[in-house]
């Protein structure tokens, strides 16, 4: 693991590989496959994080506002699950918008550890949070939380670590990867610890497809941003105009898939490699799995037991408290 020494926020811990080599390897590996794919974590440079934040405010994109309403409605029970004097560790903290809801209602939180891959975005959000919550101990970690990382030492007395993983980001893993991921992150937890997690539920295909094809085209820009990010970081030559966004619900797999479709026959150069695209060929950029409550309970059962589930009136979305086994 390469620790970076240049800190843009005083107490930010860097626990990530900042080398272009990893990104180059992962990107080229995906593009060599017959069904080309790109790891969806590469959506999230600073611009991608902003675009995602914009998606969450689109009227078709129900998950964010539904999850926030569930949180607000059930805050007393959520607080009881999190307990007093806990350390809140947020995985992929993004704008920390939902965290503010928790911090505003749970004065007993001892420390907040946001873990985020986008350094610049994390720094900006931390500057704001430090002003808004001057008494809160904040220990930011710049890391790819899908790989093992460590929570920095927390000087203040504390009881449990509670992982906060909202937004149904768990849906962006394949079910087999979920098992591996939960195994990794559950190592952070001591007995009594748990995870507050947002899980999107199965529902009408039209509602799902509208959410990933917003009329304002923000999801289109977000999807194409992965190519812009690769161009920028790896000096590749994707022409964004030659790709179009496509998102649809794959009923059999229980997931929304996002793709970028090549509008023309073309070659793209990344490093020393040339990748050929037929007209109409796709790059699979993201999966967003949707679960039933019982399927999700089974999926996590090696590591966690489901202690409590909160949903909205339409059963669109669930917030769940999982207890470490
Ligand atoms: C971050 N993640 C949960 C979002 C989702 O819904 O799968 C990412 C996203 N992709 C397109 N729209 C939103």
């Amino acid at each position: 693991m390469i620790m970076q020494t240049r800190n843009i926020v005083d107490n930010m811990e860097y626990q990530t590989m900042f080398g272009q080599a990893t990104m180059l390897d992962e990107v080229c590996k995906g593009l060599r496959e017959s069904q080309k794919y790109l790891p969806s974590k590469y959506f999230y440079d600073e611009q991608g994080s902003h675009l995602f934040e914009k998606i969450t405010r689109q009227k078709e994109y129900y998950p964010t506002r539904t999850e926030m309403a569930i949180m607000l409605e059930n805050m007393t029970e959520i607080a009881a699950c999190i307990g007093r004097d806990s350390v809140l560790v947020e995985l992929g903290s993004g704008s920390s918008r939902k965290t503010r809801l928790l911090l505003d209602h749970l004065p007993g939180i001892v420390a907040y550890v946001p873990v985020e891959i986008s350094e610049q975005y994390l720094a900006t959000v931390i500057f704001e949070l430090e002003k808004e919550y001057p008494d809160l101990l904040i220990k930011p970690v710049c890391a790819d939380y899908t790989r093992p990382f460590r929570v920095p030492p927390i000087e203040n007395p504390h009881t449990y670590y509670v992982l906060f993983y909202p937004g149904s980001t768990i849906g962006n893993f394949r079910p087999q990867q979920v098992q591996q991921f939960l195994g990794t992150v559950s190592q952070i937890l001591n007995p009594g610890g748990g995870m507050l997690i947002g899980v999107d539920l199965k529902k009408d295909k039209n509602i799902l497809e509208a959410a990933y094809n917003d009329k304002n085209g923000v999801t289109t820009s977000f999807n194409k941003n992965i190519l812009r990010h690769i161009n920028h970081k790896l000096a590749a030559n994707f022409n964004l105009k030659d790709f179009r966004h496509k998102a649809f619900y794959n009923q059999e797999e229980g997931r929304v898939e996002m793709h970028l479709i090549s509008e023309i026959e073309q070659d793209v150069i990344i490093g020393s490699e040339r990748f050929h695209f037929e007209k109409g060929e796709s790059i699979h950029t993201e999966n967003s799995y949707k679960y039933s409550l019982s399927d999700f309970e089974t999926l996590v059962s090696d590591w966690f037991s489901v202690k409590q589930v909160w949903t909205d009136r339409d059963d669109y979305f669930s917030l769940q408290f999982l207890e470490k086994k």
Side-chain angles (χ1 to χ4, degrees):
M1 189 177 290
I2 297 169
M3 298 284 191
Q4 191 166 299
T5 48
R6 172 179 57 96
N7 278 21
I8 56 176
V9 168
D10 280 351
N11 62 347
M12 174 129 49
E13 246 195 53
Y14 292 87
Q15 301 182 21
T16 195
M17 302 279 237
F18 276 86
Q20 285 168 315
T22 315
M23 183 171 179
L24 182 65
D25 284 354
E26 291 179 341
V27 163
C28 290
K29 182 168 182 278
L31 294 179
R32 281 183 214 122
E33 293 293 317
S34 53
Q35 168 60 71
K36 294 182 170 65
Y37 72 89
L38 289 170
S40 57
K41 65 182 172 190
Y42 292 127
F43 283 129
Y44 301 96
D45 62 346
E46 197 189 2
Q47 194 160 322
S49 300
H50 281 298
L51 283 166
F52 175 62
E53 178 60 20
K54 212 168 157 191
I55 287 177
T56 66
R57 296 174 195 275
Q58 300 305 301
K59 81 170 184 307
E60 298 93 337
Y61 195 76
Y62 62 85
T64 310
R65 64 170 177 278
T66 311
E67 185 177 41
M68 288 178 82
I70 295 172
M71 284 175 75
L72 277 173
E73 251 174 54
N74 300 285
M75 202 49 92
T76 313
E77 288 178 9
I78 293 170
C81 285
I82 292 180
R84 287 200 68 81
D85 302 331
S86 298
V87 173
L88 193 67
V89 181
E90 183 167 4
L91 308 174
S93 51
S95 69
S96 299
R97 206 161 119 215
K98 292 163 195 160
T99 321
R100 287 175 168 86
L101 278 187
L102 290 182
L103 297 175
D104 289 345
H105 291 86
L106 310 179
I109 287 176
V110 163
Y112 172 52
V113 181
V115 186
E116 168 63 46
I117 194 170
S118 168
E119 177 195 25
Q120 201 62 49
Y121 199 64
L122 179 58
T124 311
V125 172
I126 295 312
F127 279 130
E128 288 165 9
L129 282 178
E130 280 175 346
K131 272 188 256 150
E132 289 167 50
Y133 302 92
D135 298 330
L136 180 70
L137 178 63
I138 304 179
K139 296 262 181 153
V141 175
C142 185
D144 173 358
Y145 67 81
T146 63
R147 294 166 184 258
F149 67 92
R150 86 185 168 97
V151 175
I154 307 293
E155 302 81 20
N156 303 359
H158 53 278
T159 49
Y160 308 125
Y161 287 152
V162 173
L163 299 170
F164 183 38
Y165 198 38
S168 199
T169 307
I170 194 85
N172 297 133
F173 293 109
R174 290 173 187 272
Q176 310 87 290
Q177 295 172 315
V178 170
Q179 307 267 359
Q180 208 183 337
F181 169 68
L182 291 179
T184 305
V185 294
S186 72
Q187 285 168 22
I188 294 168
L189 300 173
N190 36 3
M195 184 169 193
L196 182 64
I197 184 168
V199 183
D200 200 7
L201 301 177
K202 287 204 157 87
K203 62 184 67 61
D204 187 293
K205 184 179 192 265
N206 294 320
I207 294 166
L208 288 170
E209 291 190 344
Y212 292 81
N213 289 287
D214 66 280
K215 290 223 167 63
N216 292 331
V218 184
T219 311
T220 298
S221 306
F222 173 75
N223 198 2
K224 288 189 177 194
N225 185 63
I226 201 166
L227 303 183
R228 196 201 52 78
H229 185 199
I230 292 168
N231 280 349
H232 177 69
K233 282 275 175 56
L234 304 178
N237 66 346
F238 281 107
N239 191 342
L240 274 57
K241 287 200 310 304
D242 294 334
F243 289 86
R244 83 180 146 80
H245 163 77
K246 183 175 177 189
F248 61 92
Y249 185 58
N250 180 334
Q251 194 105 32
E252 232 164 78
E253 300 287 348
R255 67 191 188 202
V256 174
E257 293 185 12
M258 290 213 309
H259 293 254
L260 287 165
I261 312 290
S262 178
E263 297 269 55
I264 56 168
E265 185 178 351
Q266 57 179 316
D267 285 344
V268 172
I269 294 172
I270 308 178
S272 57
E273 274 190 72
R274 177 184 291 268
F275 297 95
H276 183 73
F277 290 82
E278 296 296 337
K279 183 176 179 191
E281 191 176 350
S282 89
I283 313 174
H284 189 171
T285 51
E286 189 185 60
N287 288 317
S288 196
Y289 281 84
K290 310 301 167 188
Y291 289 102
S292 69
L293 292 177
S294 59
D295 285 350
F296 192 73
E297 185 167 11
T298 309
L299 186 66
V300 305
S301 59
D302 279 355
W303 311 100
F304 291 97
S305 43
V306 178
K307 186 175 176 196
Q308 205 152 350
V309 177
W310 304 274
T311 61
D312 57 296
R313 204 186 324 138
D314 300 315
D315 285 335
Y316 277 8
F317 200 91
S318 69
L319 186 67
Q320 312 197 11
F321 194 84
L322 313 180
E323 231 169 23
K324 183 181 158 117
K325 274 189 169 169

